[in-house]
Amino acid sequence: MAKGRGRYESEERKTSKRKYMSYEDVPLEENDVEEAEPKNITSKFLKMFLILFLSVAAVLAVMNIEKLTPDNIGHWFQYDLLGKTDGDGYPVAFTGTSVDTGNFDLISGVPAYCSDTTIAVLNQNAGKYQENQHSYASPSLSVNSGYGIVYNTDATGFTVIKRDSQIYSSSSKKKIYAADVAANGVYALLTQGDDYLAKLTVYRNDNLEKYEYSFADYYMNTVSLNSDGTRAVLSGVSARNGGLISVIYILDFTQSSYMQKYEADDTYIYDVKYLSNGNVAAVGDNMSFFINVGDGQKNDITYSSKTLTAYALNRSGGMALSLSANPDGRDCDILAVSENGDASGQISTGDRIVSLDIKDGKAAALQTDKIAVYGFDGSKQSEAAVESDSRKICCSENNTFYVLGKSRISKVNA
């Protein structure tokens, strides 16, 4: 018995040295049959994602380096990210009694207008980026990319604006005939001269004077700056041998004399525009002009006895003309000229044209009750209905149009 008991105790001692483990003694997360994901895999994934994100951000930053200014970043944060000016959608009534068609345009791709009482800029949903009162008796608005200038015609007051703010307001010494602003904030005032018929004064975007030029032989009435505020095109009129003569000047602000000069007999020039690629377009009462500034070549565009009923000068699009063979303006044809000087044939519409715009190689016409979009080959690409009191259209991105009516502004996709 003692021998048997000793054998048992020996086996018991051996058994007691073995390790047994119950699942009840293991934490619940360790009872899972599946193996846990190695932590280093998650860490590597996050690192790869971060590197990819930063790489994409760097590429976008390089591609848009000129737009990464403190103002633009602040605008994006306040207005786009935070939705500071949400709005209730279009159509929306404008503030004031009336808005002239020349005082309705796009600034940074959204509607800007100057009514008889108010300077305002709206967002894509009809919210207000800004709305400020003015006291100008005869206000005029000119826009270039993200800047605008409002001036009191035949008076002295002017205001420089951006999309969400007025950045400078002052008065000139002499009456203002015309004004324009460049895409970088440089601006120019065409005013009455001291001892000359007219004077152009150009200011840097910090409002210091950078250039001036006086005109002795012509009454100047239009001005347009190029994108970087280094050149200008102007037009004016005079009398010669009992007839009317118009002139186009192209000025380079590094030169004391004019860069190019062109004259046209028996033509009154309504408007000029320095296009974004450096060429120039001008619209007159019985003919228009396209100037390749690089080689100095001027192309005359005659109307062939037709009547000009509407026109558009778009810095990034070119020029569009509505021409009618009927005295009352019915049955209009469109002649479009791209910023490179490529001209379309006569685009027949069969309708009266109230307003035009040109963009991305397409011409858009505001007709009696619709907007019609045409290719340079004359084909109608799209159309959309509008209200019968529509007076002017401005083409934004992706065939989106902002439409000025008698008392309100609409948004239409065509």
Side-chain angles (χ1 to χ4, degrees), residues 233 248 250 260 262 269 271-284 287-303 312-321 335-343 358 376:
V233 57
I248 297 173
I250 298 178
Q260 295 171 13
Y262 306 91
I269 296 177
D271 204 357
V272 295
K273 193 72 69 178
Y274 224 118
L275 306 179
S276 58
N277 67 347
N279 292 327
V280 162
V283 176
M287 65 187 308
S288 291
F289 310 93
F290 182 89
I291 301 172
N292 187 316
V293 177
D295 60 17
Q297 181 66 41
K298 176 175 70 74
N299 295 323
D300 297 345
I301 303 169
T302 60
Y303 300 162
L313 291 175
N314 188 305
R315 297 181 197 270
S316 61
M319 172 171 55
L321 309 170
L335 177 62
V337 181
S338 75
E339 62 177 342
N340 296 317
D342 302 320
I358 182 170
F376 269 32

Side-chain angles (χ1 to χ4, degrees), residues 67 69-84 129 163-164:
K67 299 179 182 179
T69 64
D71 283 344
N72 286 341
I73 294 173
H75 292 165
W76 173 81
F77 183 79
Q78 293 183 60
Y79 297 98
D80 299 324
L81 182 63
L82 299 182
K84 186 175 179 180
Y129 280 121
R163 179 179 67 174
D164 65 321

Side-chain angles (χ1 to χ4, degrees), residues 41-343:
I41 293 181
T42 302
S43 178
K44 288 180 179 179
F45 174 78
L46 292 175
K47 289 180 180 178
M48 290 176 61
F49 177 80
L50 181 60
I51 292 172
L52 180 61
F53 174 80
L54 293 176
S55 300
V56 173
V59 171
L60 292 176
V62 171
M63 293 175 61
N64 297 274
I65 188 68
E66 75 282 355
K67 299 179 182 179
L68 296 179
T69 64
D71 283 344
N72 286 341
I73 294 173
H75 292 165
W76 173 81
F77 183 79
Q78 293 183 60
Y79 297 98
D80 299 324
L81 182 63
L82 299 182
K84 186 175 179 180
T85 54
D86 283 335
D88 297 322
Y90 291 92
V92 62
F94 56 73
T95 302
T97 304
S98 63
V99 175
D100 291 341
T101 55
N103 290 340
F104 177 71
D105 211 327
L106 301 183
I107 184 168
S108 296
V110 292
Y113 69 85
C114 181
S115 71
D116 54 335
T117 62
T118 305
I119 302 169
V121 181
L122 308 179
N123 70 3
Q124 295 179 358
N125 203 38
K128 296 175 181 178
Y129 280 121
Q130 64 168 296
E131 184 179 82
N132 299 289
Q133 301 294 306
H134 71 76
S135 58
Y136 300 156
S138 183
S140 295
L141 169 68
S142 182
V143 169
N144 192 342
S145 187
Y147 281 88
I149 185 168
V150 178
Y151 56 96
N152 198 5
T153 309
D154 289 329
T156 60
F158 69 93
T159 300
V160 181
I161 66 172
K162 292 188 75 173
R163 179 179 67 174
D164 65 321
S165 61
Q166 294 187 358
I167 60 176
Y168 185 68
S169 186
S170 187
S171 296
S172 65
K173 294 179 181 179
K174 297 289 185 176
K175 291 181 179 180
I176 301 173
Y177 298 146
D180 195 31
V181 63
N184 60 1
V186 172
Y187 61 94
L189 302 178
L190 178 62
T191 65
Q192 184 181 36
D194 296 319
D195 299 318
Y196 296 88
L197 296 180
K199 178 181 177 181
L200 177 72
T201 307
V202 183
Y203 299 86
R204 304 185 324 194
N205 55 17
D206 60 3
N207 307 306
L208 297 179
E209 184 178 323
K210 65 174 287 185
Y211 177 84
E212 64 178 32
Y213 191 95
S214 295
F215 301 88
D217 301 323
Y218 295 89
Y219 293 93
M220 308 305 290
N221 52 17
T222 69
V223 60
S224 177
L225 297 180
N226 67 346
S227 296
D228 58 5
T230 58
R231 292 179 177 179
V233 57
L234 304 95
S235 70
V237 295
S238 186
R240 179 183 294 175
N241 300 325
L244 179 72
I245 183 171
S246 287
V247 67
I248 297 173
Y249 279 96
I250 298 178
L251 304 178
D252 186 308
F253 302 156
T254 63
Q255 302 176 14
S256 58
S257 183
Y258 61 81
M259 180 179 170
Q260 295 171 13
K261 178 182 175 182
Y262 306 91
E263 294 180 335
D265 292 324
D266 302 320
T267 296
Y268 182 84
I269 296 177
Y270 294 135
D271 204 357
V272 295
K273 193 72 69 178
Y274 224 118
L275 306 179
S276 58
N277 67 347
N279 292 327
V280 162
V283 176
D285 59 348
N286 55 28
M287 65 187 308
S288 291
F289 310 93
F290 182 89
I291 301 172
N292 187 316
V293 177
D295 60 17
Q297 181 66 41
K298 176 175 70 74
N299 295 323
D300 297 345
I301 303 169
T302 60
Y303 300 162
S304 302
S305 300
K306 292 185 178 181
T307 301
L308 180 72
T309 65
Y311 71 88
L313 291 175
N314 188 305
R315 297 181 197 270
S316 61
M319 172 171 55
L321 309 170
S322 169
L323 303 172
S324 173
N326 299 295
D328 60 359
R330 292 180 293 109
D331 195 15
C332 291
D333 293 332
I334 299 173
L335 177 62
V337 181
S338 75
E339 62 177 342
N340 296 317
D342 302 320

